[in-house]
Amino acid sequence: MESAPELDEWHTGNDLVDNNLEPRISFEGASDAFSLSFSPDSVMLAAASGDSAVRVFHTGSGKLLYTLGGDFNQDTGVKGTKLPATCVKFRPAASFSKTKNVLLVGSCEGKIEHWHVTSQKKLNTIQEVGNQVFSLDYHPEGSSFVSVGSDCMVRLYDEATKTLISTMDSGWGAPAPGHSNRVFCVKYVPEDPNMILSTGWDNTIQFWDVRMNYSVKSILGPHVCGDAMDVCNGKVLTCSWQPDNQIEMWDLGTGEKISGHTMERDSQGNIPMLYGGQFSKGSERGRMFASAASGTNEGNLWMSDSYECVGSTSHVENSL
């Protein structure tokens, strides 16, 4: 199969110059982006788009390499209207398959699709009836994946067979009640993949144990509206769409809040309301984290231990 292009220089979308984050990849002229995912080797960046297509860029040059789909999310109720591709996730290196550059794509139509990026071929489609898929995540070894969305359920799939393993929701007699509103972010715990965390509009983080098939505990607090939760080294980061304490850190083991940070308004009095947040990856994983805001329409790079802001994007017209 065709291989991905080589990464000539190390770039992950932005350069840091005098605390200003300068863009290396431009999405201008295309539809809004709802979700981003780097390939395991960081050579490619995939963006799920509001026009239902997925655009894949080269992270070194910023060049658009591939456009996947764009015609597979048709709203049959409104002729000609395409529903957004809401989430993307590259598959980690998997022991059961030699195929690289596999991308998982979720949509508002309730579809989950597997794509082989470099050949631009769709490999498989799963339909979740009655659901809008808002977030996907892979097991660290690529052996399974999980989906969440509008119906408040957490679905676990086998990656090799593409079959449903289990559906987790509130459940009678479970220690925690599960979700009561839309779920916008789901993550495997890297250090313990038997645990899956999910969060969304109901202001809770649910801790799902796949061995028990239900939520074993929950945290009340963050109001998450996008890909705005991450897990690293025993800490859970949440970035909330709320006017105060937008950034919070939680203890993974106890569920207790470690710290919180309220972001300042901009010079025009706009309040940063966060849609995105992720820890840094690589050899210094978790040392920093990034946030993306509406209101002030800015992205920021922070030190995890002090909440010192070490980089910011310039103001843009639309929400980040």
Side-chain angles (χ1 to χ4, degrees):
M1 292 186 178
E2 182 184 355
S3 61
E6 294 296 325
L7 182 62
D8 299 322
E9 299 179 59
W10 175 250
H11 294 295
T12 54
N14 290 280
D15 281 340
L16 183 60
V17 181
D18 296 329
N19 285 5
N20 292 320
L21 293 169
E22 300 295 334
R24 295 269 318 169
I25 295 175
S26 175
F27 212 63
E28 293 179 3
S31 180
D32 293 340
F34 285 86
S35 175
L36 302 171
S37 179
F38 283 101
S39 60
D41 58 7
S42 296
V43 169
M44 294 183 288
L45 176 68
S49 307
D51 61 3
S52 81
V54 174
R55 293 171 174 84
V56 182
F57 298 88
H58 187 272
T59 56
S61 66
K63 178 184 176 182
L64 175 64
L65 299 175
Y66 312 105
T67 300
L68 310 176
D71 60 349
F72 56 90
N73 291 328
Q74 185 108 9
D75 181 358
T76 56
V78 181
K79 186 177 181 179
T81 301
K82 295 179 180 179
L83 298 179
T86 51
C87 46
V88 286
K89 187 68 66 171
F90 271 100
R91 187 174 73 188
S95 59
F96 63 87
S97 175
K98 295 182 180 179
T99 304
K100 299 180 180 180
N101 305 317
V102 173
L103 184 68
L104 201 59
V105 181
S107 77
C108 272
E109 200 180 9
K111 289 183 179 180
I112 301 173
E113 301 185 336
H114 284 78
W115 286 82
H116 183 245
V117 173
T118 49
S119 67
Q120 302 180 72
K121 292 181 179 179
K122 184 164 56 175
L123 306 176
N124 187 69
T125 301
I126 297 168
Q127 179 69 59
E128 294 187 348
V129 178
N131 189 33
Q132 295 176 316
V133 181
F134 295 145
S135 182
L136 298 162
D137 197 31
Y138 267 112
H139 186 286
E141 297 179 355
S143 58
S144 61
F145 62 91
V146 62
S147 72
V148 295
S150 60
D151 67 0
C152 309
M153 296 183 181
V154 178
R155 293 176 174 87
L156 184 65
Y157 293 90
D158 180 82
E159 171 65 11
T161 64
K162 312 298 189 288
T163 56
L164 182 66
I165 299 173
S166 64
T167 300
M168 299 180 286
D169 53 17
S170 55
W172 176 255
H179 287 293
S180 60
N181 210 327
R182 294 181 172 218
V183 187
F184 282 96
C185 191
V186 65
K187 292 289 169 68
Y188 278 91
V189 176
E191 296 81 9
D192 182 9
N194 288 312
M195 296 299 298
I196 295 172
L197 273 57
S198 60
T199 186
W201 273 2
D202 64 3
N203 301 336
T204 72
I205 304 174
Q206 299 292 330
F207 291 67
W208 305 92
D209 190 324
V210 299
R211 297 161 296 189
M212 306 297 291
N213 207 41
Y214 55 70
S215 177
V216 295
K217 67 179 177 182
S218 63
I219 294 173
L220 180 63
H223 184 72
V224 172
C225 299
D227 190 6
M229 175 183 67
D230 207 359
V231 189
C232 183
N233 299 328
K235 293 182 180 180
V236 181
L237 165 72
T238 55
C239 293
S240 295
W241 200 85
Q242 58 192 28
D244 300 298
N245 276 318
Q246 296 97 330
I247 302 170
E248 295 172 294
M249 295 282 186
W250 310 83
D251 186 277
L252 177 64
T254 65
E256 297 295 321
K257 182 175 175 178
I258 299 171
S259 59
H261 179 73
T262 297
M263 296 176 63
E264 296 181 359
R265 300 184 182 213
D266 65 14
S267 59
Q268 297 178 345
N270 297 310
I271 301 173
M273 309 283 277
L274 302 187
Y275 276 118
Q278 293 286 296
F279 280 118
S280 58
K281 313 302 180 188
S283 59
E284 295 190 345
R285 179 171 164 262
R287 181 169 173 261
M288 296 183 288
F289 67 90
S291 64
S294 63
T296 55
N297 299 348
E298 63 180 346
N300 297 103
L301 188 64
W302 310 83
M303 301 303 298
S304 297
D305 58 353
S306 64
Y307 294 114
E308 177 189 0
C309 182
V310 295
S312 298
T313 62
S314 57
H315 182 84
V316 297
E317 291 184 4
N318 299 318
S319 300
L320 295 184

